[in-house]
Amino acid sequence: MTPLIKKLLVGRNLLLVALFYSSAITCLFFLSSQDLPKTQISEADKLIHVSIYFILINLWLLYFYVRNNLKIENKLILIILFSVLFYGIIIEIFQELFTDSRSADILDVAANLLGALLGIFFFKNIKHKLKPKYFN
């Protein structure tokens, strides 16, 4: 196998998980709001956004960390952060344009940013504990 193919295949299970999660949340963001469970806590929606983006950025950071031999540069972290935020903004715009029961909300974007930043902080603090044997 060529070195390029080997490099692309490193962490393929992580890539599949990150792609599946990204696809699943995209579908969930377009569900009708009537189909979603009702909560008594008005802030629950923002907490959900924080949690979703915390997981999303950690999955992508982990994939690139493993793919790059357990190294990740701050430049790549910034690229992933801006990509995830751009994705969130596009989702909000599309909810406004293409759904009847959902609307764009700047507070959702802020919650997405908070979740992504918390995710980066978490990842930077635990990445040194990840062992190569878990990802081969």
Side-chain angles (χ1 to χ4, degrees):
M1 209 181 292
T2 68
L4 177 62
I5 301 276
K6 282 184 181 180
K7 183 168 181 158
L8 289 173
L9 291 177
V10 169
R12 72 175 173 263
N13 291 338
L14 289 171
L15 177 61
L16 291 174
V17 170
L19 288 171
F20 176 79
Y21 183 81
S22 300
S23 301
I25 62 172
T26 300
C27 293
L28 290 174
F29 283 137
F30 288 104
L31 282 179
S32 171
S33 61
Q34 288 91 13
D35 296 340
L36 299 173
K38 303 293 182 231
T39 62
Q40 300 299 322
I41 305 170
S42 60
E43 294 81 18
D45 175 56
K46 303 309 174 240
L47 291 173
I48 291 168
H49 276 265
V50 169
S51 301
I52 286 171
Y53 278 77
F54 178 89
I55 295 167
L56 179 65
I57 201 152
N58 270 285
L59 286 172
W60 285 107
L61 288 170
L62 182 59
Y63 166 68
F64 283 105
Y65 184 65
V66 169
R67 184 169 177 250
N68 293 323
N69 297 319
L70 302 182
K71 295 180 199 111
I72 193 162
E73 295 178 10
N74 287 333
K75 180 180 174 182
L76 181 56
I77 292 172
L78 278 175
I79 290 170
I80 295 168
L81 173 64
F82 286 121
S83 299
V84 164
L85 292 178
F86 180 72
Y87 162 80
I89 291 168
I90 294 299
I91 291 294
E92 290 299 318
I93 293 169
F94 282 7
Q95 283 178 336
E96 181 73 33
L97 295 175
F98 302 119
T99 66
D100 294 329
S101 64
R102 306 277 225 137
S103 60
D105 184 355
I106 192 69
L107 294 178
D108 285 350
V109 174
N112 298 348
L113 173 61
L114 178 61
L117 291 174
L118 289 172
I120 290 170
F121 178 76
F122 173 80
F123 185 81
K124 284 186 150 223
N125 283 298
I126 62 107
K127 70 180 181 183
H128 65 280
K129 295 179 182 176
L130 300 173
K131 305 286 186 232
K133 65 181 176 181
Y134 298 130
F135 303 108
N136 290 332

